[in-house]
């Protein structure tokens, strides 16, 4: 059951969510199997072994492809394993031009795991003229964008950058984790590949680690599928099923995250103990207009700088309670993170501080709890600073 005209809110529930044809069960079964019986060697029903294919995972891939307006989707065991597959797809010695502000684990993967295989250059991607020069001199095979970035929420122009990359025959990859397919669809803007950490908003319940790759080109899909099967980072059927369950509420969750985040951002912006707030929905955001153009909303992530340093940050982080101090983001519950010590610790201090990730920078993943309770929790944290 799939209707090309369905809106997001319908697709997210019904594509891949068809009743089980055998029993009529309204919820898809978890095909908790590693292998599949063949009637004669090589004769089977399209499924041979769960590392390669699994019907529960197939349903999730169908759903995600439709949400990103993609022809194809591959679901992987984690966001980073999806990134790893892209790196293995490139010929040895490829050049990758990567945004300078990316998730710490992505930075570590590129700068510590792959530097003997490929060449990486980390550059500022919000300045198009500068980026065009970098593309012409570095001649990348691939341009890697996170937008908005983690944790500084910088917004890069996907349409313009994809067009520049095409001119130098480079692929454009967009990590769309922070916006989810509900608020941003990079393939529609010219990107070649979209990657998600499904661990975050897509699953939304902080109980699964997973990744996804979406693309239109059959050739890209075939290369990445080959590598996924050959290397092995497939998601388990149970985890795919949990994501199928969590994703059904993605649209209403994203609206609720945004509604709360907008109020939290406004609260922070007027707070005397806050130096600066970064949120795509605030007019003070440096790429506010671009965000309005390429995103359908502002999301649930906020970054702010406390007045003070590490001791003020620690006091705030130890005293908020509803905002749980934990890595990750995108769940229904609010989380708070200290990137310099937690999620971005693998980035050398001088690089981190060069970007502006100081000890007074705090990242919020605003959940969908009652806004008054969230603001009260922040009040308690600030009172102890
Ligand atoms: O954790 P994993 O599912 O492997 O996804 C990695 C990843 C990729 N891209 C972005 C933008 C991410 O934020 C992440 C993971 N991020 C965190 C765990 C975090 O707290 O920022």
């Amino acid at each position: 059951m799939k209707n090309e005209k369905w809106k997001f809110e319908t697709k997210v529930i019904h594509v891949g969510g068809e009743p089980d044809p055998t029993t009529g069960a309204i919820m898809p079964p978890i095909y908790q199997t590693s292998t599949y019986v063949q009637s004669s060697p090589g004769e089977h029903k399209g499924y041979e072994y769960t590392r390669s294919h699994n019907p529960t995972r197939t349903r999730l891939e169908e759903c995600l492809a439709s949400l990103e307006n993609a022809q194809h989707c591959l679901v992987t065991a984690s966001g980073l394993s999806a990134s790893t597959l892209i790196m293995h797809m490139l010929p040895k010695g490829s050049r990758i031009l990567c945004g300078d502000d990316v998730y710490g684990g992505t930075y570590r993967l590129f700068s510590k795991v792959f530097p003997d295989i490929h060449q990486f250059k980390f550059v500022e991607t919000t300045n198009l003229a500068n980026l065009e020069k970098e593309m012409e001199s570095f001649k990348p095979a691939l341009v890697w964008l996170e937008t908005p970035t983690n944790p500084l929420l910088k917004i890069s122009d996907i349409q313009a950058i994809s067009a520049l990359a095409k001119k130098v025959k480079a692929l454009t990859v967009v990590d769309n984790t922070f916006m989810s397919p509900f608020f941003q669809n990079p393939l529609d803007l010219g990107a070649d590949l979209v990657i998600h950490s499904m661990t975050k908003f897509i699953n939304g319940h902080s109980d699964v680690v997973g990744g996804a790759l979406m693309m239109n080109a059959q050739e890209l899909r075939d290369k990445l599928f080959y590598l996924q099967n050959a290397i092995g980072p497939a998601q388990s059927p149970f985890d795919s099923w949990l994501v199928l369950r969590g994703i059904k509420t993605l649209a209403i969750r994203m609206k609720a995250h945004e509604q709360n985040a907008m109020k939290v951002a406004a609260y922070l912006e007027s707070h005397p103990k806050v130096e600066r707030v970064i949120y795509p929905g605030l007019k003070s955001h440096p790429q506010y207009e671009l965000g309005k153009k390429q995103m359908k909303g502002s999301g649930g992530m906020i970054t702010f700088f406390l007045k003070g340093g590490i001791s003020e940050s620690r006091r705030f982080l130890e005293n908020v309670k509803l905002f749980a101090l934990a890595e990750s983001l995108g769940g229904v519950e609010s989380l708070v993170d200290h990137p310099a010590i937690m999620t971005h610790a693998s980035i050398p201090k001088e690089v981190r501080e060069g970007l502006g990730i100081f000890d007074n920078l705090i990242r919020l993943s605003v959940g969908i709890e009652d806004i008054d309770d969230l603001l009260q929790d922040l009040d308690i944290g600030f009172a102890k600073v």
Side-chain angles (χ1 to χ4, degrees), residues 122-134:
F122 295 90
V123 294
E124 157 62 34
T125 55
T126 62
N127 179 332
L128 281 179
N130 181 46
L131 188 61
E132 186 168 15
K133 276 193 211 131
E134 292 283 2

Side-chain angles (χ1 to χ4, degrees), residues 38-54:
Q38 309 198 4
S39 54
S40 181
E43 281 179 27
H44 51 76
K45 297 180 163 66
Y47 292 94
E48 295 160 274
Y49 189 58
T50 278
R51 172 163 31 75
S52 335
H53 295 101
N54 177 278

Side-chain angles (χ1 to χ4, degrees), residues 119-178:
Q119 269 186 63
F120 295 87
K121 190 165 186 191
F122 295 90
V123 294
E124 157 62 34
T125 55
T126 62
N127 179 332
L128 281 179
N130 181 46
L131 188 61
E132 186 168 15
K133 276 193 211 131
E134 292 283 2
M135 281 197 208
E136 279 162 9
S137 62
F138 189 62
K139 302 202 183 346
L142 186 142
V143 177
W144 188 283
L145 297 177
E146 229 180 70
T147 179
T149 60
N150 181 359
L152 294 167
L153 301 170
K154 294 198 279 186
I155 300 173
S156 298
D157 189 332
I158 299 172
Q159 194 160 29
I161 295 172
S162 304
L164 289 175
K166 275 199 179 64
K167 281 209 287 189
V168 296
K169 297 192 168 47
L171 292 174
T172 304
V173 177
V174 176
D175 184 331
N176 199 22
T177 299
F178 271 28

